[in-house]
Each structure stands twice: as C-alpha cells, then as structure tokens.
Amino acid sequence: AARAYAQALRAAVAAGGTPPLPPALARPKAELHAGLALCQLQLGLPAAAAANAGKALALRPEHLEARFRRALAAAAMSDLEAAAADLALVLQEEPGHAGARRELRRVRGAARERDARLARRLGRLFA
C-alpha cells in the first residue's frame, strides 16, 4: 500500500505543477500524503509518517486525520509535547474522536513518567 501511495504522489506532483495548488488538486494530494503517513506508521517509520502528515496539513490545515497521524508519529519519536498539542487540536475540532482521546491520555501519562524520572535523577544529583 505504501508503494501505491508513493507512486500516486509522484503522479500527482507531476500533474500538479508548482505550488500553491488549486483546491481541486490540493485535496487529493493531501489525502495521498495522509494515507502514506498511515502506512508509514504501520511500518514503524514515524519520522517519514510525520513528514507526510505535515505535508498533508500544509495542503489542507483542517485535515484531522493527518493531524492525528502526525501526533501518533510525534509520540512514537518521544516528542510528547508536539503529540499532545496536535491531539488537543484534533479533540477541539472533533471532541468525540476516541483514538485522539485515548492517545492523549497515554501521551500525558508518558510525559508524567518522564518528568518523574527526571525529577528523581536531579534529586540524586543535588542531594
């Protein structure tokens, strides 16, 4: 699936011309980037997924699934603050998004654990 998305993106780039793209071309290209981001997340490639989700958001800032996928990629790369910010935006636009709500709880828990570990290390350092 990732190869098919990448191939379709190459064709869209060739057909689209230079940015800024008209909405009729930006929408399908954003969908392709968001789809490729999902494939890359499933393949364990969070940096590539974050890049493609970011490209989708550059084309369509209101694309909630691209924002959610970028948050998942950021969390996978331990950028918990960026993940929490994107997840909060998803929940602001769609409060019933169960995946975003679940992931935000997980990200906040991971941030608390990270901060507690850091506090223990600093406490030992200055004790």
Side-chain angles (χ1 to χ4, degrees):
R3 281 191 209 123
Y5 276 114
Q7 191 173 28
L9 272 168
R10 282 191 293 275
V13 167
T18 60
L21 296 175
L25 293 176
R27 184 178 190 90
K29 189 173 176 191
E31 293 298 328
L32 289 170
H33 278 295
L36 182 55
L38 176 62
C39 291
Q40 290 166 331
L41 280 170
Q42 292 173 344
L43 290 171
L45 303 169
N52 275 297
K55 289 175 184 178
L57 288 168
L59 292 165
R60 285 190 54 222
E62 72 280 1
H63 198 299
L64 287 182
E65 285 306 307
R67 190 166 305 281
F68 178 63
R69 291 168 188 166
R70 186 171 73 174
L72 293 175
M77 295 185 296
S78 297
D79 188 353
L80 302 177
E81 287 74 20
D86 272 343
L87 290 166
L89 287 172
V90 169
L91 287 171
Q92 182 180 350
E93 290 298 316
E94 189 179 319
H97 195 294
R101 188 172 310 284
R102 184 175 48 251
E103 186 64 18
L104 185 57
R105 268 194 309 273
R106 193 190 69 72
V107 164
R108 285 180 176 162
R112 278 192 301 275
E113 289 175 22
R114 180 200 60 199
D115 294 346
R117 278 193 310 272
L118 181 60
R120 283 192 301 273
R121 288 182 190 156
L122 288 173
R124 280 186 248 146
L125 181 65
F126 293 110

